[in-house]
Amino acid sequence: MLAYVIRRVFQSLIVLLVVGLVAFSMFTFVGDPIDNMLGQERTDADIARLRAQLGLDQPFPVQYLRFLENAIQGNFGVSYRQGRPVAEIIAERAPATLELAFVSGLFAITFGIGLGVFTALRRNGWAANTIMTLSLVGVSLPTFLIGIVLIYIFSVELNWLPSFGRGEVVDLGWWTTGFLTASGLKALILPSITLGLYQMTLIMRLVRTEMLEVLRQDYIRFARARGLKDRAVHFRHALKNTLVPVITVTGLQLGSIIAFAIITETVFQWPGVGLLFINAIQFVDIPVMAAYLMLISVMFVMINLIVDLLYFAIDPRLRVDRTAAKG
Amino acid sequence: MTDPVLSVRNLTVEIPTRRGVLRPVDGVSYDIAAGEILGVVGESGAGKSMTGNAVIGLLDPPARITGGEIHLLGERIDQLKGEALRKIRGKKIGMIFQDPLTSLNPLLKVGEQLTETILAHLPVSQSDAEARALAALEEVGIPAATQRLNSYPHEFSGGMRQRVVIALALCAEPSLVIADEPTTALDVSVQAQIIALLKRLCRERGTAVMLVTHDMGVIAEAADRVAVMYAGRLAELAPVQQVVQAPQHPYTDGLMGSTPLASLGQKRLRQIPGSMPRLTALPDGCAFHPRCQRATDRCRSNPGPTLAACNGRAACWHPLTDEDRAAREATA
C-alpha cells in the first residue's frame, strides 16, 4: 500500500516535469516576449539589456533548470503585462476559480449520482425518461451557450441572479470568499450550473449505466432473496459497487471542471485564473500562461492521486491484491 | 403426515414474447414436507430454476406466474407483493444460488452481510445479531469464525464461500430452502462436503429443501424424493430409490441410463437421441415423444399426459414396467 502510494507520487512527479517542459518551451517557441515588452521605439541595446536581465540569453537547458528551480519555490517570474510577480496574481485569482469549481463539482456529483440512481431504479418511468432525454441536451450543448441561455433567462428576463462577477466578497487576508455574503452566493449559482452541467449529465448517465449493470448481478439477487429492504439493496449493496468505476471518471471530470472554467469565467466575467489565462493569451503573457499550465497539471495529478487512493478505501480486493503481489 | 411446508399446485409461469407466449413452467404440482429434500432435476431450460424463482417471487420480468397456487405453511404466497414478499424472503424461504463467487457482495465483509440479514428479519440488537452471525459461520464449519467475520468474500475459497452463502440463507432460520444448483460451480471434491452440510443442517432443523440440480449424483446422494422436469412439465415424481432404480418415465430412464452412477453397476452409458425442444416449438401431446422409442399416436396428440391423468407418478401413457427393464438387461 505504502509502496504503491510512493510509486504513484513518483509517477506524478514525472508527469509534472514533462508538463513543466512544455510550459517552459512556450517561452522559446511562442513569439519573442521582448517584442511585447518594449514598444516601437526600442534600441538594440534595450533589447540586449532586457534579454540579459530576464536570463533569456542563457542556453535552453540552463533556462529550463532555472525555471524549474523557481517554479518549485512558487516563483513563476513576472507578468509581462502587469509587471507583477505571477505567483501573486494567481494567488489573488485562485480563490474565485476554486470556489466556482468546488460548487460546480458539488452540484455535478450530488445531482449526477442522485439522478443517476433515480433513473436506474425507475428505469421505465416517465420522469426517468424525461431526465434521460434532457440529459442528452446537457451533454451536447456547448458550455458557453448554456451560460448565455441561463444569463438570458435568469438575469435578463427574470432579473433574479447577477449575470457577471463574483458579487461582494469577504477578504480573509489570504483568501477572498463569496460564500459569506448573499450577493456572493447568488453570483455563484449561474456559473456553477453552467460549469457543472456537462459533468453532471455525464456522471448521471454513467451512474445509471453502472447501476443497471450492478442490479443484474447475482449478489443483488441474493440480497433480495435474503429479504433485505429495497433501500438496503439499492444503496448499501448496489450503489457502493456502482461507485468504483464512477470514481475514476468523476475524478477526471473534476479536473476538467477547473480546466474548463476558462470558458465559463469568460462568459460570466468571473475574476478567476481562467479569465486571467484568456487575457494572458491575448497579450502573449507567457509567464502567466506557463504558471497556469503548471497549476492545472498539479491539480489534475493531485486529483488522480486522490482517486487512486479512494479505490483502496472503497474496494477491499485491491488492498489484499497489492500486498499479495508485493509478496 | 402433517401439512407440507411447501405446496405447489398447477404452477404455470409464462413469458410473453413477440413470437408468442412461452411457458417455461407448465402446470407443475408438488409438495415438500418438513425435513424433506426434494430434488428437482432436468436439462438446462427444463424449468427447474424458474420453478424455484417463482416460489420465492424472484422471476425476472417479463416472466410471471399466470396460473396455479403456491402455499407456504398453509399461507398462499404467489400473490404477495412488496413488503409482504420481502418479509418471507430470507425469513421463511432461504435461497442458495449456483455461483458462490458472484452471490456475495464483494465490497461488504461477510459479518456485515450476515448481521444485516439477521437484523432484517429478527427483532434483535446489533450485538445479538453479531453473536448470531458468528454462530451461523461456526455452524457451517468455517474455521476461526471470529476472524472470518471481518473477512471479505474474495478472501475465501469457492467451497468456503458456498458455506458462507448457506449460512446467509439459513441465518434467519427459514422453513424452506431453495438450493439452485448449489454445487455446480464447485470442485468435485468440495461438492460432497457442501451437500453433506446442507443435508445435515436441514435434517437438524427440520427445514424443507428444494434442491435444484442437473446432477443425478447429487440427487441420489441427498434427495428423499425426486421431481424430474422436462420442457417445463413434471415428467416423474417419486421417491429417490424408485427413480434411480426403477424409473417409469422413458425420459427419466434415459436420464438414469446416461448418468455414471457406481451404485447402478451399469456397463455402458446410454444416450437419449435428439435434444429438448425449444419452448417456442413444443410438439403436440407429450413433449418428449419425438425422442421416445415408445411413442405412439396417442403420445403425439393432445392432451398430453400429466401425472394426474396417468398413474400419479410418471406423466406417460406407456410407463416402463419391470418387465421392460428386465428385457433390456437381457438384450444388452
Side-chain angles (χ1 to χ4, degrees), chain A residues 218-219 221-222 224-230 232 236-238 240-241 244 314-317 319-321, chain B residues 53 56 58 60 86 89-90 95 97 102-108 112-113 116-117 121 152 154 165 168:
Chain A
D218 278 353
Y219 54 79
R221 277 181 77 79
F222 190 43
R224 283 194 207 287
R226 278 170 14 230
L228 300 184
K229 289 201 165 70
D230 274 357
R236 199 171 143 81
H237 287 262
K240 208 174 172 193
N241 280 283
V244 178
I314 288 198
D315 196 336
R317 283 167 295 187
R319 286 175 229 158
V320 172
D321 292 349
Chain B
N53 288 339
I56 200 168
L58 271 179
D60 289 315
R86 180 192 76 72
R89 287 180 185 157
M95 185 139 186
F97 287 98
T102 56
S103 43
L104 295 170
N105 189 327
L107 302 187
L108 293 177
E112 291 174 324
Q113 303 194 39
E116 74 174 346
T117 311
H121 295 296
Y152 289 94
H154 68 269
V165 169
L168 275 165

Side-chain angles (χ1 to χ4, degrees), chain A residues 85-100:
Chain A
V86 174
E88 197 181 301
I89 302 176
I90 286 191
E92 210 174 272
R93 296 286 200 121
T97 297
L98 290 177
E99 283 187 358
L100 176 62

Side-chain angles (χ1 to χ4, degrees), chain A residues 33-53:
Chain A
I34 306 288
D35 277 347
N36 290 303
M37 296 180 81
L38 297 175
Q40 293 278 323
E41 293 153 23
R42 63 193 174 194
T43 63
D44 284 351
D46 287 340
I47 292 174
R49 186 168 45 76
L50 193 59
R51 214 177 267 285
Q53 188 188 329

Side-chain angles (χ1 to χ4, degrees), chain B:
Chain B
M1 198 169 124
T2 51
D3 282 347
V5 172
L6 179 73
S7 170
V8 175
R9 286 287 164 270
N10 284 318
L11 178 69
T12 301
V13 173
E14 291 187 342
I15 305 176
T17 67
R18 253 175 272 166
R19 283 175 297 165
V21 175
L22 306 182
R23 267 201 203 129
V25 180
D26 189 358
V28 168
S29 303
Y30 57 84
D31 293 336
I32 310 180
E36 187 189 29
I37 299 180
L38 175 75
V40 180
V41 280
E43 294 167 56
S44 305
K48 327 180 283 285
S49 298
M50 199 69 96
T51 310
N53 288 339
V55 169
I56 200 168
L58 271 179
L59 289 173
D60 289 315
R64 59 194 184 91
I65 299 173
T66 53
E69 294 180 11
I70 303 170
H71 292 265
L72 180 74
L73 302 167
E75 189 192 343
R76 188 164 177 188
I77 60 168
D78 55 290
Q79 293 171 324
L80 293 182
K81 284 195 172 41
E83 187 65 7
L85 184 59
R86 180 192 76 72
K87 279 189 173 145
I88 65 160
R89 287 180 185 157
K91 179 83 182 84
K92 292 188 178 159
I93 309 177
M95 185 139 186
I96 299 165
F97 287 98
Q98 174 171 349
D99 190 352
L101 302 185
T102 56
S103 43
L104 295 170
N105 189 327
L107 302 187
L108 293 177
K109 288 174 188 165
V110 163
E112 291 174 324
Q113 303 194 39
L114 275 164
T115 44
E116 74 174 346
T117 311
I118 294 165
L119 286 172
H121 295 296
L122 305 175
V124 295
S125 68
Q126 177 72 28
S127 57
D128 282 352
E130 282 164 16
R132 276 168 184 263
L134 179 64
L137 273 196
E138 279 170 347
E139 217 177 346
V140 295
I142 288 186
T146 319
Q147 290 94 36
R148 291 313 235 162
L149 280 176
N150 287 319
S151 299
Y152 289 94
H154 68 269
E155 296 167 289
F156 291 82
S157 68
M160 283 296 155
R161 272 193 236 191
Q162 196 63 308
R163 286 174 193 263
V164 172
V165 169
I166 291 173
L168 275 165
L170 294 179
C171 67
E173 311 208 327
S175 324
L176 170 72
V177 167
I178 301 171
D180 190 352
E181 308 260 7
T183 56
T184 308
L186 298 176
D187 288 343
V188 178
S189 54
V190 181
Q191 287 183 359
Q193 292 176 13
I194 295 294
I195 289 298
L197 171 72
L198 194 61
K199 206 170 156 182
R200 176 174 63 82
L201 289 177
C202 296
R203 292 270 190 267
E204 281 170 14
R205 303 169 181 212
T207 313
V209 180
M210 178 177 167
L211 177 62
V212 176
T213 180
H214 61 256
D215 187 339
M216 281 308 295
V218 167
I219 294 286
E221 168 71 31
D224 299 308
R225 281 192 306 143
V226 183
V228 181
M229 287 189 75
Y230 187 78
R233 298 167 199 172
L234 273 187
E236 187 159 356
L237 179 63
V240 67
Q241 279 301 319
Q242 294 181 22
V243 168
V244 171
Q245 285 166 7
Q248 285 192 357
H249 196 286
Y251 175 65
T252 317
D253 183 52
L255 206 59
M256 296 314 304
S258 59
T259 307
L261 283 180
S263 58
L264 290 184
Q266 57 197 351
K267 292 174 192 72
R268 284 193 76 130
L269 296 179
R270 282 174 286 132
Q271 52 178 325
I272 311 175
S275 59
M276 199 170 68
R278 277 178 305 179
L279 292 172
T280 46
L282 282 182
D284 281 344
C286 173
F288 187 63
H289 82 250
R291 303 170 74 184
C292 184
Q293 291 169 344
R294 306 165 69 85
T296 60
D297 283 347
R298 191 184 179 191
C299 302
R300 289 184 265 274
S301 56
N302 284 327
T306 59
L307 287 182
C310 302
N311 59 6
R313 180 185 149 183
C316 181
W317 302 129
H318 315 291
L320 278 92
T321 59
D322 290 341
E323 292 83 67
D324 292 331
R325 276 185 293 275
R328 189 176 59 213
E329 286 296 316
T331 57

